[in-house]
């Protein structure tokens, strides 16, 4: 009978149990149900005859009384009674059965099973086991061992039963009973379990010693006593965490004796028990038998070929845990086992990929835990080499390295990635001393590279491993072991494959080594290329020479001798800046590395007096340990900067000369080098270089009176040029402006004013490229020199106002960068003033949001993102701060502006909502102000608002969205009946998002009665999407609707149906007005800011370009002469509903 399995959940203690059974099985024809119902009815009759309440306790007492006379009962009656009792006992409340009665009931139940063992079925025995378990765990006195011992021992006996269901039930009850014991009872129960394990030890050892080959497992386990051993081990797996510490320790000792070097039927069970003990026990238990366990586990792991791989990996994991505990208590014995374990696992790394990957994970954890180069930092390399013969830890490291070398040397092909990754980790963990222990490994890796005929992609892991060796021990040691050389007789080269590896991996070397060893090698390759006759060989030698020179940036990564060696390096490099173009990029990158590293290190630790840590270089960052980072004192960093600055004059002059003569693709590399050197040099040097460049290009007129002497002014006065700028001068001015952008950071006030003169002249030119460069330089000045932005604000604004708009996207981006800096400065410094200039800037950005060109719209969105981010990050990001000031300015446009402006502002607000949804909570007027626009008649405004709402509901958390749910529902549903312009679809999508976030009930409750059917349809359709058939029907329905819509359009019936015409209809029915609406759309263009993705605007769907009238507008967006017509919106969120505000002009003056 299976009723006991569900008694607790299907029966209630508050009503008569007998009646519940009769109601449930009154229509059942099953014999066991009839017997159970009859037994319950008879028991109820007995209780009623005794005038007792029909409670679970009364049923328990009556049933136990009936079972006490089991000799007079047949097996059917006993089965019904035990099944009924298993239903009743879980319903009896704790404490209702006294411990003496519970103990007596246990004996009765045990006697019933023992007397009728042959006649009782599995379900009856299982029911009794369950009853005994509940009685012992909940009603017997757990503090009195005599009260629970009898039932506990009986449960232990049946936890080894051959019947799976009985055994499983007994094991579950045994675990529950164990958990209920106090400390005293736990000790005695643990002793009993341990005794049982010890009694079965001979059989367990016998099973463990028996070989399991194909077909013999059944024969080995055919004996019942052998099966009992397996059942006992399975029980141990569950209850061993609850054993006392003493017997857990003894259990570990017995398990170590059971283990053998070969796999057997008990191996997995033993490993699982050890694993549970390790997971649930402290160091004391694990360490007590760690060495015995380790010996057994290592013996098993060593027999890799005989044992299943998964058990070997499990044994290795257990061995690692034991090893970690020995290491934690500083037991030196761990070193012996460490080398053995790594040696055995190294062999596993050569197996199939999945197994090798698991082994590499274990090895990685082992090496990370037990090998640390910081232990040997105080010992010199020679001392490490001497101590390696007697120091236990160094001997373990040496043995480990030897094991990996043996695996490599026995490999006849390129090793797999797991093996190479572990060797790479070993290099990095040992660091500089790796050259002592891993010299043979680096030589073996080099041999593999020399004989490899595979492509670069197939040797990638091998190259990465060698790169780790370079990062760990340094290029000096690696090149010493694996020299790059040239045979002068036949011009053959060796180990040139090392050059690209060095380029990726060097960090923290020395400039001196580069000059003393790499430069001569590069020169030898270059000289040899002039002597060889074969073109292929000559090209190879030239490539090797360039490759060696290309190592310069790598040697400039955190070198140890900057202030000692940089002067010599600069002297070496300057001649190359005058003749060899192939070195320009290398020199530029190298100089940037040197300057920027030291500057950033000093800046990041400003004010500290201790050591400064260089940032990661990206070299082997996934493996590079913290101990290999390069740390320098502030004193050394200051010396480095001083040494770099002392050579900056000669370098800057050479770089500038090359810069002015180079094509654009080479100038972009030189710009960074010039910029970083100027930043650490005196500003007078930058000014001198810039004026010299102007004189070279004969552009002195661009700076007016700045930077020229009296004679120069007089001479220029005699050489008046016409106002037309030649094409040649435009190209020269573009180069000058590129140079200007490089020197902005290190310029003083006088030089900045000089640069601004050049910018003004360039912006008057007709050449777009010059204007782009001028805008870029101006934006850098505005960003890096706040004093200029403040003092020259009016001048800059006048200049920008006089400039015409351009369709050039590159120019537009740079112009917006200037406007962004100006607007931020204006808002930050004029918090209490309503400045007309800020609205001029906003007007231009907002209009760009409605540009027909996607790149133009994206530039405007990016600008808004930048403004939003910088104002939010400002120190005054309070509710009255600059960020909120900008939002308030934008919402002011919503009152009385043209539809185009309103639509653009709504798109702008969508950007702010996307980046900072919380702004809706801190400024609660935003959402109602935008939602009010849904009463508008302008289609592009409606589209913009629906896009805003979609962003809003997508970004807000469900709790915050609840505040706006009612207002959103009231406003958007008025457009749910309009299919044109996808309004209905947009509303449906918004509703689906709200339903997903706020729940169907909340959305349905807020739907106006008029739109209930539409909302219910959206809900039904959303639920129907989970059914594939219904999804197909929905798709067909949409297809039919689409076809119907096409037929209507063909008939010219694009107007809203009579049913859709409500008093608040968005446009009039007359055909003339519909045509006028289309004309407005064609003239102004429109877009929506629907699915925002990191500031990117949506693609137009079928949008038309701006009309030719707008494309050829002759007037400026920000023309100062039209200041009287500038849109100065009312700051606030209220809306005027007067028609005259709806009829204002469509353009911003």
């Amino acid at each position: 009978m299976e009723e006991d399995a569900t008694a607790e959940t299907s029966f209630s203690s508050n009503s008569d149990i007998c009646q519940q059974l009769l109601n449930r099985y009154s229509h059942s024809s099953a014999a066991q149900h009839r017997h159970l119902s009859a037994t319950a009815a008879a028991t109820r009759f007995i209780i009623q005859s005794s005038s007792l309440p029909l409670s679970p306790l009364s049923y328990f007492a009556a049933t136990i009384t009936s079972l006490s006379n089991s000799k007079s009962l047949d097996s059917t009656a006993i089965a019904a009674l035990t099944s009924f009792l298993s239903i009743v006992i879980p319903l009896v409340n704790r404490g209702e059965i006294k411990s003496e009665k519970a103990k007596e009931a246990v004996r009765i139940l045990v006697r019933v099973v023992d007397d009728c063992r042959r006649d009782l079925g599995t379900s009856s025995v299982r029911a009794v086991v369950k009853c005994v378990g509940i009685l012992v765990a909940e009603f017997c006195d757990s503090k009195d061992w005599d009260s629970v011992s009898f039932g506990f021992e009986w449960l232990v006996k049946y936890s080894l039963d051959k019947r799976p269901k009985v055994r499983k039930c007994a094991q579950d009850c045994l675990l529950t009973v164990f958990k209920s014991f106090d400390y005293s009872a736990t000790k005695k129960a643990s002793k009993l379990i341990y005794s049982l394990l010890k009694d079965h030890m001979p059989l367990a050892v016998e099973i463990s010693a028996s070989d399991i080959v194909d077909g013999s497992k059944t024969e080995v386990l055919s004996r019942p006593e052998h099966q009992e051993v397996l059942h006992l081990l399975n029980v141990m797996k569950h209850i061993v965490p609850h054993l006392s510490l003493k017997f857990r320790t003894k259990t570990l000792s017995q398990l170590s004796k059971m283990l053998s070097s070969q796999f057997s039927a008990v191996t997995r069970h033993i490993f699982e028990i050890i694993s549970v003990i390790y997971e649930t026990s402290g160091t004391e238990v694990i360490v007590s038998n760690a060495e015995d366990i380790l010996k057994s586990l290592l013996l098993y792991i060593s027999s890799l070929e005989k044992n299943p791989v998964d058990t070997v990996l499990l044994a290795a994991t257990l061995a690692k845990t034991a090893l970690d505990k020995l290491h934690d208590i500083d037991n030196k014995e761990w070193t012996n086992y460490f080398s053995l374990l790594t040696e055995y696992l190294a062999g596993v790394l050569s197996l199939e990929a999945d197994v090798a990957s698991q082994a590499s994970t274990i090895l990685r954890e082992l090496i990370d835990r037990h090998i640390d180069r910081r232990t040997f930092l105080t010992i010199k390399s020679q001392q490490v080499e001497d101590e390696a013969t007697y120091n236990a830890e160094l001997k373990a490291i040496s043995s480990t390295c030897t094991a990996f070398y043996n695996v490599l040397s026995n490999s006849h092909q390129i090793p797999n990635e797991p093996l190479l990754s572990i060797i790479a980790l070993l290099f990095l963990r040992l660091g500089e001393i790796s050259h002592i222990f891993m010299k043979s490994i680096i030589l073996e890796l080099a041999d593999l590279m020399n004989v490899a005929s595979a492509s670069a992609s197939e040797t990638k892991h091998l190259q990465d491993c060698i790169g780790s060796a370079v990062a760990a021990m340094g290029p000096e040691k690696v090149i010493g072991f694996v020299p790059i050389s040239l045979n002068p007789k036949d011009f053959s080269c060796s180990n040139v494959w090392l050059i690209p590896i060095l380029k990726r991996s060097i960090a923290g070397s020395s400039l001196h080594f580069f000059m003393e060893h790499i430069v001569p090698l590069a020169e030898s390759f270059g000289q040899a290329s002039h002597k060889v006759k074969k073109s292929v060989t000559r090209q190879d030698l030239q490539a090797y020479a360039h490759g060696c020179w290309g190592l310069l940036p790598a040697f400039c990564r955190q070198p140890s001798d900057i202030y000692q060696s940089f002067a010599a390096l600069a002297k070496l490099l300057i001649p190359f800046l005058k003749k060899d173009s192939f070195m320009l990029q290398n020199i530029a990158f190298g100089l940037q590395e040197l300057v920027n590293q030291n500057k950033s290190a000093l800046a990041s630790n400003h004010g500290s007096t201790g050591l400064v840590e260089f940032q990661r270089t990206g070299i082997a960052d996934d493996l590079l340990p913290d101990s290999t980072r390069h740390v320098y004192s502030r004193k050394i960093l200051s010396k480095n900067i001083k040494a770099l600055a002392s050579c900056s004059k000669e370098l800057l002059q050479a770089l500038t000369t090359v810069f002015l003569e180079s094509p654009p693709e080479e100038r972009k590399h030189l710009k960074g080098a010039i910029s970083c050197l100027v930043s650490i040099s005196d500003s007078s040097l930058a000014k001198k270089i810039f004026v010299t460049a102007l004189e070279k290009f004969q552009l002195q007129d661009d700076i007016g009176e700045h930077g020229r002497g009296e004679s120069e002014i007089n001479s220029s006065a005699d050489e008046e040029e016409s106002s037309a700028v030649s094409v040649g001068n435009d190209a020269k001015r573009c180069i000058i402006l590129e140079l200007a952008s490089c020197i902005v950071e290190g310029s003083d006030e006088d030089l900045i004013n000089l640069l601004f003169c050049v910018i003004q002249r360039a912006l008057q030119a007709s050449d777009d490229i010059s204007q782009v460069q001028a805008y870029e330089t101006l934006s850098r000045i505005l960003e890096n020199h706040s004093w200029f932005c403040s003092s020259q604000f009016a001048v800059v604004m006048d200049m920008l106002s006089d400039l015409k708009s351009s369709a050039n996207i590159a120019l537009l981006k740079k112009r917006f960068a200037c406007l962004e800096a100006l607007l931020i400065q204006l808002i930050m410094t004029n918090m209490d003033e309503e400045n007309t200039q800020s609205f001029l800037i906003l007007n231009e950005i907002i209009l760009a949001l409605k540009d027909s060109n996607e790149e133009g719209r994206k530039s405007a969105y990016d600008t808004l993102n930048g403004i939003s981010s910088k104002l939010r990050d400002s120190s005054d990001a309070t509710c009255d701060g600059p960020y909120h000031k900008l939002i308030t300015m934008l919402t002011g446009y919503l009152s009385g502006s043209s539809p185009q402006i309103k639509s653009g502002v709504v798109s702008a607000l969508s950007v702010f909502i996307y980046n900072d949804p919380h702004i809706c909570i801190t400024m609660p007027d935003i959402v109602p102000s935008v939602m009010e626009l849904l009463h508008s008649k302008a289609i592009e405004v409606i589209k913009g608002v629906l896009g805003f709402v979609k962003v809003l509901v997508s970004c807000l958390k469900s709790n915050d969205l609840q505040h706006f749910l009612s207002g959103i529902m009231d406003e958007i549903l008025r457009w749910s009946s309009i299919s044109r312009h996808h309004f209905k679809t947009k509303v449906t999508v918004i509703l689906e998002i709200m339903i997903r976030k706020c729940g169907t009930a909340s959305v349905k409750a807020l739907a106006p009665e008029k739109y209930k059917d539409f909302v219910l349809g959206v809900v039904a359709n959303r639920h129907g999407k989970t059914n594939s058939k219904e999804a197909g029907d929905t798709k067909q329905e949409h297809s039919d609707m689409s076809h119907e819509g096409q037929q209507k359009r063909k008939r010219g019936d694009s107007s809203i149906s009579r049913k859709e015409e409500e008093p608040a209809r968005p446009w009039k029915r007359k055909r003339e007005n519909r045509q006028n609406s289309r004309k407005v759309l064609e003239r102004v263009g429109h877009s929506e800011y629907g699915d925002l993705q990191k500031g990117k605007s949506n693609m137009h769907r079928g949008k038309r370009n701006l009309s030719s009238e707008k494309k050829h507008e002759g007037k400026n967006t920000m023309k100062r002469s039209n200041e009287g017509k500038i849109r100065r919106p009312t700051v606030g969120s209220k809306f005027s509903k007067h028609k005259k505000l709806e009829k204002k002009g469509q353009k911003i003056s």
Side-chain angles (χ1 to χ4, degrees), residues 249-290:
T249 304
K250 289 187 174 184
T251 300
L252 267 180
S253 177
Q254 296 296 328
L255 293 173
S256 66
K257 295 174 184 177
M258 290 185 195
L259 275 175
S260 65
S261 61
Q262 58 187 4
F263 179 75
S264 66
V266 296
T267 301
R268 294 185 195 276
H269 292 282
I270 295 171
F271 286 164
E272 288 172 357
I273 297 171
I274 295 174
S275 179
V276 171
I277 294 175
Y278 280 3
E279 290 173 3
T280 58
S281 304
T283 303
E284 178 186 352
V285 174
I286 299 173
V287 170
S288 61
N289 294 281

Side-chain angles (χ1 to χ4, degrees), residues 401-422:
C401 295
T402 301
F404 283 107
Y405 169 74
N406 293 333
V407 174
L408 279 177
S409 59
N410 293 328
S411 176
H412 302 295
Q413 56 185 1
I414 297 176
N416 59 15
E417 189 272 337
L419 174 58
L420 292 172
S421 68
I422 295 301

Side-chain angles (χ1 to χ4, degrees), residues 855-869:
E855 288 296 320
R857 296 194 305 275
K858 183 180 182 302
S859 299
Y861 283 126
D862 291 342
T863 302
L864 286 173
N865 277 322
I867 295 171
S868 168
S869 176

Side-chain angles (χ1 to χ4, degrees), residues 142 145 291 322 346 386 474 516 529 580 602 686 829 931 1031 1088 1099 1119 1137:
S142 61
W145 177 246
E291 293 191 47
D386 295 339
E516 291 294 319
S529 68
D580 287 336
L602 277 173
T829 56
M931 297 305 299
E1088 63 178 298
M1099 295 285 291
K1119 191 71 174 173
K1137 298 183 180 179

